[in-house]
Amino acid sequence: MRARAGTLASVLGIALVGCGVQPAGVVGAGEPATGLTRGIRLYFAPGSGLRDVPVLDREVKDLDSVVKLLAVGPPPAEQRDGLTNLVRLGGYAVTGRGARVTVRLEDPYAATGRDQGTGQLVCTLARAQSVLDPKAGTDDVEVTLHQPEGPSLGPYRCAEFLDG
C-alpha cells in the first residue's frame, strides 16, 4: 500500500512538473482602461479638476444647444457626487468650423480665462465640435471667447484645463 502511494505521488509529481505550467503570483495589469467614449459629453467641476458627463438622452445638432445643456448644470446623481456648473454667460453665439470654435459674448466675461468655468466651457465645446465635425479631434479643437469690449480670450485647448 505504501509502495502504491509513493508511486502515485511520484507519477503525479512528474506529471505536474512535466506539463510546463509554472506557478505564478498576482500579475499587475496597470490602471484601468481610459480614453474618450463616443458622443457629446459635458464637463463639470467637482472642486478640483474637471469631470465629464455623457449626454445620453438628447440628440445635439449644434454648439448653441450644447452650451444650453451645460448651463442647466449636472444631472441630480452627479450633483450628489459634488459636481457643479461654474460657467456664467449672458448672451452668446457659438460657431464652429473644423478645429476652431468661436464664442461671441454679449457681455464682458466675468472669469479669468484660466479657471475651471472656462475649462468646462472649452472642454465641452471641444468635445461637441469633434462629434459634430468628426474631422476635428477633441485635442485639436481651439476655443476663443470674443468679448464685446476688451481682448479676446484664447484660443484655448481642453488639455490646458485637464489634470495630468
Side-chain angles (χ1 to χ4, degrees):
M1 178 88 150
R2 255 186 213 264
R4 274 192 189 165
T7 304
L8 182 61
S10 295
V11 170
L12 286 175
I14 291 171
L16 289 175
V17 171
C19 73
V21 176
Q22 300 295 320
V26 176
V27 177
E31 295 296 314
T34 61
L36 295 176
T37 58
R38 291 192 170 119
I40 303 288
R41 299 181 84 73
L42 305 175
Y43 286 77
F44 295 103
S48 65
L50 296 174
R51 199 166 96 201
D52 59 328
V53 174
V55 176
L56 301 174
D57 58 346
R58 297 205 172 118
E59 184 176 344
V60 177
K61 297 191 185 239
D62 59 58
L63 295 174
D64 279 328
S65 61
V66 171
V67 176
K68 288 176 185 170
L69 285 173
L70 184 64
V72 170
E78 281 75 14
Q79 287 178 17
R80 287 189 293 276
D81 285 345
L83 295 184
T84 189
N85 180 19
L86 301 175
V87 176
R88 304 289 180 253
L89 298 176
Y92 60 87
V94 185
T95 56
R97 184 178 193 123
R100 303 235 186 269
V101 172
T102 302
V103 181
R104 296 204 180 279
L105 302 168
E106 293 177 8
D107 301 312
Y109 191 62
T112 65
R114 294 289 178 190
D115 55 284
Q116 283 187 320
T118 302
Q120 281 182 254
L121 184 61
V122 168
C123 290
T124 297
L125 288 171
R127 177 56 183 257
Q129 181 64 12
S130 73
V131 171
L132 296 170
D133 182 352
K135 294 177 191 167
T138 302
D139 293 336
D140 299 324
V141 175
E142 294 181 334
V143 178
T144 303
L145 307 173
H146 293 285
Q147 303 183 80
E149 295 179 17
S152 294
L153 300 171
Y156 299 117
R157 291 180 187 225
C158 181
E160 297 174 49
F161 298 94
L162 298 178
D163 294 333

